[in-house]
Amino acid sequence: MAWVFMPIFVVGFVGFLLGAILNHFLPLLLKNRIVPKGSFGWPFLGETLSFLKPHPSNSIGSFLQQHCSRYGKVFTSHLFFSPTVVSCDEELNYFILQNEGKLFECSYPKPIHGILGKVSMLVAVSDTHKRLRNVALSLVTTTKSKPHFLNDVENIATQILDSWRYKQHVLFSEEARKFTFNVIVKQVLGLTAEEPRTREILQDFLAFMRGLISFPLYIPGTPYAKAVQARSRIFSTVRTIIEERRRRRRSEEIKNTSDFLEILLCVDTLSEDEKVSFVLDSLLGGYETTSLLMDMLVYFLGQSPAALHKLKVEHEKIREMKGNDELLNWEDYKKMDFTQQVINEALRSGNIVKFVHRKALKDVKFRDYVIPSGWKVLPIFSAVHLDPSLHPNALQFNPWRWKDEDQTCKKLTPFGGGSRCCPGSELAKVEVAFFLHHLVRNYRWRLEEDEQPMAHPYVEFRRGLKLTVYSSSDLSS
């Protein structure tokens, strides 16, 4: 049997030897360019598996703790098949984000491109990204304060919460996804939750999301392969909807429609494929990350009675100034000051997006070291969000810390920054604020199981965030 294990031993030994050589000699090869200290791990994989090891998202995880302790807040590693500079430093992160397209460029792993598509705004660079982003910003600016959008958000929120009336337990992660999907599919495509196409898109979208966070192996039956196929089906469905909408516009069958799709049809700067891809990006951005923010809010508020009480007082005061049946408007949203503090703190504490992928376009000198051209660069948002030197008692959920803080400060970058800052962030905050308005006034809740948000690096509550819910009217009677 020894002959069976000998090749494995030899391969392992050679791999170890190559890793040791790489660790030892790479800094010497770069002696004219002083790179940050660090380690490179095994050949090919490097330290990727250790970097991606699951950990609570309200912590930075053992990999970053160990490397920052040993090498400092900026260090080198070998991640995602590339030599990498990892930044847990506030100033360097800001520098990277502000120099998008000049010194650094978006550089997600190739398998992500296979699912999102070549013209997705999430992976596009240069002029393509600028055109897509300008359209997105225009749509958000046009939409965010409009009564039809605000009314849709509030009506969908109350429908979800009314369905809890006779329930003792809810899986909040499912409820949050239902809310955000119904909002975004209505706003983007003009579809209601009851329409068959909405259910078809949702099923394909679930497969799409599972594949986006799976091992990128394109073999029939794997989550990755199913995701590529699901994206193709969604792409075809959206293209058909666009063609139908265009025919209805020509025959004047449709009037007074102001969803994203209607506005998008009037945009001449995008190709047909870019318009379809833009719709998919909007669905993705408005579905998963917004629902995760809602999860974080319920999770952290459930452990902070003082914050929950102050939040309820703020929303009761807003409701007292309106009739019981009067819908919220943009002016009401602008009065939700403490709500904004709560949202900021949930984003800081929960870290829905841990890091982003960038690549150095040229040798970049920062302080006393150089980031070599072509190297991957990972600005770690969670490390800055949880840095006790920037946020006193960083592991404590404390919305009051944002009372007098600049909302656009370098210390909080949950939506990225620079020219790639998420254009839909304000829409997400409006949705969440309106949902909170009705949730905190009508319900109390308790976490049914001991769970916490886990980063894989994507974030999830493994048990679905099961809650025991109590109607406020029942508690007061």
Side-chain angles (χ1 to χ4, degrees), residues 400-415:
W400 288 271
R401 74 172 79 240
W402 300 105
K403 183 177 181 181
D404 300 313
E405 192 73 66
D406 179 5
Q407 301 295 305
T408 60
C409 69
K410 303 174 188 177
K411 296 190 292 185
L412 184 68
T413 53
F415 299 106

Side-chain angles (χ1 to χ4, degrees), residues 9-263:
F9 172 78
V10 171
V11 170
F13 177 75
V14 171
F16 173 79
L17 189 61
L18 287 173
I21 292 172
L22 184 65
N23 265 325
H24 183 74
F25 286 106
L26 190 56
L28 297 179
L29 295 173
L30 297 168
K31 62 182 179 180
N32 293 325
R33 296 180 294 175
I34 304 173
V35 299
K37 296 178 181 179
S39 57
F40 290 85
W42 291 89
F44 307 115
L45 279 179
E47 298 183 305
T48 306
L49 297 181
S50 298
F51 177 76
L52 295 177
K53 185 178 179 180
H55 61 86
S57 74
N58 52 344
S59 75
I60 64 173
S62 59
F63 178 87
L64 291 179
Q65 285 177 338
Q66 293 167 5
H67 282 65
C68 287
S69 175
R70 185 174 181 182
Y71 304 115
K73 291 183 179 181
V74 180
F75 59 88
T76 56
S77 183
H78 200 279
L79 302 171
F80 305 102
F81 307 105
S82 175
T84 303
V85 170
V86 179
S87 171
C88 298
D89 180 83
E90 173 198 14
E91 293 296 333
L92 179 53
N93 285 5
Y94 183 77
F95 179 76
I96 293 167
L97 296 175
Q98 294 302 312
N99 283 282
E100 173 72 30
K102 291 176 270 187
L103 302 178
F104 303 96
E105 185 176 80
C106 179
S107 179
Y108 282 88
K110 293 297 182 183
I112 298 292
H113 294 234
I115 294 182
L116 294 177
K118 296 179 181 179
V119 292
S120 168
M121 185 165 56
L122 301 177
V123 298
V125 296
S126 302
D127 291 340
T128 300
H129 178 262
K130 289 178 183 177
R131 284 189 290 106
L132 291 166
R133 179 175 167 77
N134 286 339
V135 172
L137 288 172
S138 175
L139 283 171
V140 169
T141 302
T142 303
T143 301
K144 65 181 183 181
S145 61
K146 296 297 183 184
H148 76 271
F149 169 69
L150 302 178
N151 294 349
D152 283 343
V153 169
E154 189 169 9
N155 287 330
I156 294 171
T158 55
Q159 288 170 13
I160 297 287
L161 291 169
D162 285 347
S163 72
W164 295 8
R165 191 167 298 169
Y166 303 107
K167 294 179 180 179
Q168 185 178 1
H169 304 289
V170 296
L171 287 174
F172 186 77
S173 291
E174 288 186 7
E175 299 294 292
R177 288 193 183 100
K178 187 190 304 180
F179 167 69
T180 57
F181 186 80
N182 288 348
V183 168
I184 198 64
V185 82
K186 178 71 164 60
Q187 183 54 43
V188 174
L189 296 173
L191 300 176
T192 63
E194 296 76 24
E195 294 183 55
R197 269 183 174 164
T198 302
R199 291 191 290 271
E200 291 174 10
I201 293 173
L202 178 57
Q203 289 305 310
D204 280 332
F205 210 76
L206 292 174
F208 174 80
M209 289 302 306
R210 283 192 289 268
L212 194 59
I213 55 178
S214 68
F215 187 78
L217 186 63
Y218 193 90
I219 295 177
T222 62
Y224 182 81
K226 289 180 179 178
V228 174
Q229 294 160 6
R231 184 192 183 281
S232 178
R233 289 193 296 270
I234 299 173
F235 197 90
S236 297
T237 301
V238 171
R239 185 184 288 278
T240 300
I241 293 173
I242 288 176
E243 291 171 352
E244 291 175 354
R245 179 69 67 86
R246 191 172 279 126
R247 285 196 299 269
R248 291 169 64 191
R249 290 176 82 242
R250 282 198 295 262
S251 61
E252 297 184 347
E253 293 178 19
I254 186 167
K255 295 179 180 179
N256 300 322
T257 301
S258 52
D259 54 37
F260 277 19
L261 186 57
E262 187 66 17
I263 301 171

Side-chain angles (χ1 to χ4, degrees), residues 304-327:
S304 180
L308 181 59
H309 173 72
K310 183 169 177 61
L311 192 65
K312 182 177 181 181
V313 168
E314 177 172 87
H315 286 279
E316 290 289 8
K317 184 177 180 180
I318 290 171
R319 181 49 54 184
E320 286 172 4
M321 298 172 67
K322 307 177 71 68
N324 283 333
D325 298 325
E326 190 177 350
L327 293 173

Side-chain angles (χ1 to χ4, degrees), residues 337-352:
D337 295 329
F338 188 69
T339 302
Q340 294 297 329
Q341 294 171 223
V342 169
I343 291 173
N344 283 341
E345 185 68 351
L347 289 166
R348 184 197 70 82
S349 299
N351 295 293
I352 296 168

